[in-house]
């Protein structure tokens, strides 16, 4: 951020003036006057908006804002605030190191054992690299408590034989649980989207004059098919519904069925778009409701109007684009809505729509590191489920890409263990998968297993050798 953000909070156990000024800069809470780093804060912190870089964690009085997500059991009826307080107390009294991953529930806390399904630390990779950890006194945990909805999608039925115009999910949804963690992109893309959304909601919440500082809360993800654009939008909505649950107790995801908005009757399509957004407008009128609107393959609704003017597209498409832009401009005044769109053909999108998007992020085929990490998560799952057998019946922890590269360049190669051997073989598979999409990579282990003669309790090395042949076949069968 360009300047520090000041927050006044009550200072515990102090005879000085009632409030002390704490500065948050670059996502780090600076507390120069706190006598001990173990003193807990007495207020609920605002969600962080981190910058690209952070100060060094070596300074003892600096605290890094780290999200801790607490998922309640479906049967739990506990108040979210009560669980949040209990988890904060547990984190204060335990000398934890912080790195991304689950936190075990304490055996002696019956309240948490009865109500909490999982506790997970997130976002530490914003501050540390290469598998390092943050120590408990360096961290200010931001605890987010949520309960998954099991309702599933609800369809909005259309009339006159029309397909439904959208599907609706109550967030956070069980269907999207774990999706964010499973998505692997180039470094920084997911964090960039999180920071963007936090800034967009904060600017709206603080009443920044939109005529002086402009933002539209519109995201456009573009790139070839199969790269995970739609999944990333759904996972982002799920993540934000958790992170902003204290401000917005309710969240909804509206997935627009763009093809249903084209009518067989001339000039009716624009009216269908207006009717759809009228329903969305009614949802956002509730100030406690955070609404995410997902328009997949947005080029079908926002086709470039110059194509229609030249006669290569029906003139009805002009009315659709005009209606869409008008409705998006109306939603701009609502602070609790974010529009997420995807496209496989960005050249076909009307320039007026592209210009309204705050973020236009390209999501391309996965890099070597991304391919390795995607396949590593697949193999780990097959090892966990018993499809692949572990070496000497001991669980294998395959190396991350940075750790593998470090070991390949060090003298530790002389002492290659089972994990390193398997990781090196997986790297060869990732290199053979150059050009495959993320969707194809996720299917590759299944296709490999189907190609093997002996499919029960497979040997991992033989499995990975077969995976290289399967990847080569997949690449050869792709259309030009």
């Amino acid at each position: 951020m360009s300047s520090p953000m000041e927050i006044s909070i009550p200072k515990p156990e102090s005879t000085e003036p009632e409030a002390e000024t704490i500065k948050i800069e670059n996502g780090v809470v600076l507390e120069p006057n706190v006598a001990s780093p173990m003193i807990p804060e007495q207020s609920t912190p605002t969600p962080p908006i981190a910058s690209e870089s952070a100060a060094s964690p070596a300074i003892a009085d600096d605290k890094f804002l780290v999200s801790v997500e607490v998922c309640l059991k479906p049967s739990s009826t506990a108040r979210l605030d009560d669980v949040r307080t209990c988890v904060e107390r547990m984190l204060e009294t335990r000398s934890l190191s912080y790195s991304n991953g689950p936190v075990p529930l304490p055996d002696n806390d019956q309240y948490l054992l009865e109500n909490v399904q999982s506790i997970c630390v997130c976002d530490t990779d914003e501050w540390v690299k290469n598998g390092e950890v943050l120590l408990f006194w360096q961290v200010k945990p931001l605890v987010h408590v949520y309960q998954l909805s099991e309702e599933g999608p609800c369809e909005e039925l259309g009339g006159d034989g029309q397909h439904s115009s959208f599907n609706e999910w109550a967030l956070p949804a069980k269907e999207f649980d774990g999706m964010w963690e499973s998505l692997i992109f180039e470094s920084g893309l997911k964090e960039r989207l999180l920071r963007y959304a936090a800034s967009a909601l904060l600017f709206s919440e603080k009443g920044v004059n939109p005529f002086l500082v402009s933002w539209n809360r519109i995201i456009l993800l573009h790139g070839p098919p199969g790269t995970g654009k739609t999944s990333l939008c759904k996972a982002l909505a799920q993540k934000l519904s958790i992170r902003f649950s204290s401000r917005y107790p309710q969240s909804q995801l509206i997935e627009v069925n763009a093809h249903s908005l084209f009518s067989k009757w001339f000039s009716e399509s624009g009216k269908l778009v207006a009717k759809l957004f009228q329903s969305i407008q009614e949802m956002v009128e509730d100030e406690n409701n955070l609404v995410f609107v997902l328009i997949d393959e947005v080029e079908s609704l926002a086709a470039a109007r110059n194509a229609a003017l030249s006669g290569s597209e029906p003139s009805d498409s002009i009315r659709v684009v005009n209606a869409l832009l008008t409705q998006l401009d109306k939603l701009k005044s609502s602070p609790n809505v974010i529009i997420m769109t995807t496209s496989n053909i960005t050249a076909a999108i009307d320039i007026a729509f592209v210009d309204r998007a705050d973020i236009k992020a390209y999501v391309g085929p996965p890099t070597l590191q991304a391919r390795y990490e995607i396949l590593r998560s697949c193999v780990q799952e097959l090892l966990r489920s018993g499809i692949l057998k572990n070496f000497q019946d001991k669980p294998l922890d395959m190396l991350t890409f940075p750790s593998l590269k470090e070991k390949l360049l060090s003298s530790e190669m002389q002492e290659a263990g089972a994990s390193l051997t398997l990781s090196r073989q997986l790297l060869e598979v990732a290199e053979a998968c150059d050009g495959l999409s993320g969707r194809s990579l996720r299917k590759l282990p299944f296709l490999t297993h189907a190609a093997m003669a002996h499919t029960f309790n497979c040997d991992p090395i033989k499995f990975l050798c077969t995976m290289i042949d399967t990847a080569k076949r997949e690449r050869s069968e792709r259309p030009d």
Side-chain angles (χ1 to χ4, degrees), residues 367-373 375-376 379 398-409 413 419-434 441 461 464-465 467-468 471:
T367 61
L368 174 61
Q369 178 170 349
R371 296 196 301 272
Y372 176 88
E373 293 294 348
L375 293 173
R376 184 175 75 94
V379 173
M398 297 181 64
L399 300 175
T400 63
F401 187 84
S403 298
L404 175 60
K405 298 298 284 186
E406 183 180 345
K407 285 186 178 295
L408 291 177
L409 296 174
M413 278 291 296
S419 293
L420 181 55
T421 300
L422 196 60
S423 300
R424 289 177 61 191
Q425 186 72 17
L426 185 64
L427 181 60
E428 293 183 25
V429 178
E431 291 170 343
C433 292
D434 185 24
L441 289 172
I461 294 297
L464 292 181
C465 290
M467 189 180 287
I468 292 177

Side-chain angles (χ1 to χ4, degrees), residues 5 14 29 48 152 154 163 192 196 229 291 325 354 384 435 440:
M5 178 172 61
S14 174
V29 180
C154 174
H163 294 291
R192 178 190 175 196
Y196 158 77
K229 301 181 296 295
V291 179
L325 297 177
V354 175
R384 184 203 63 80
S440 298

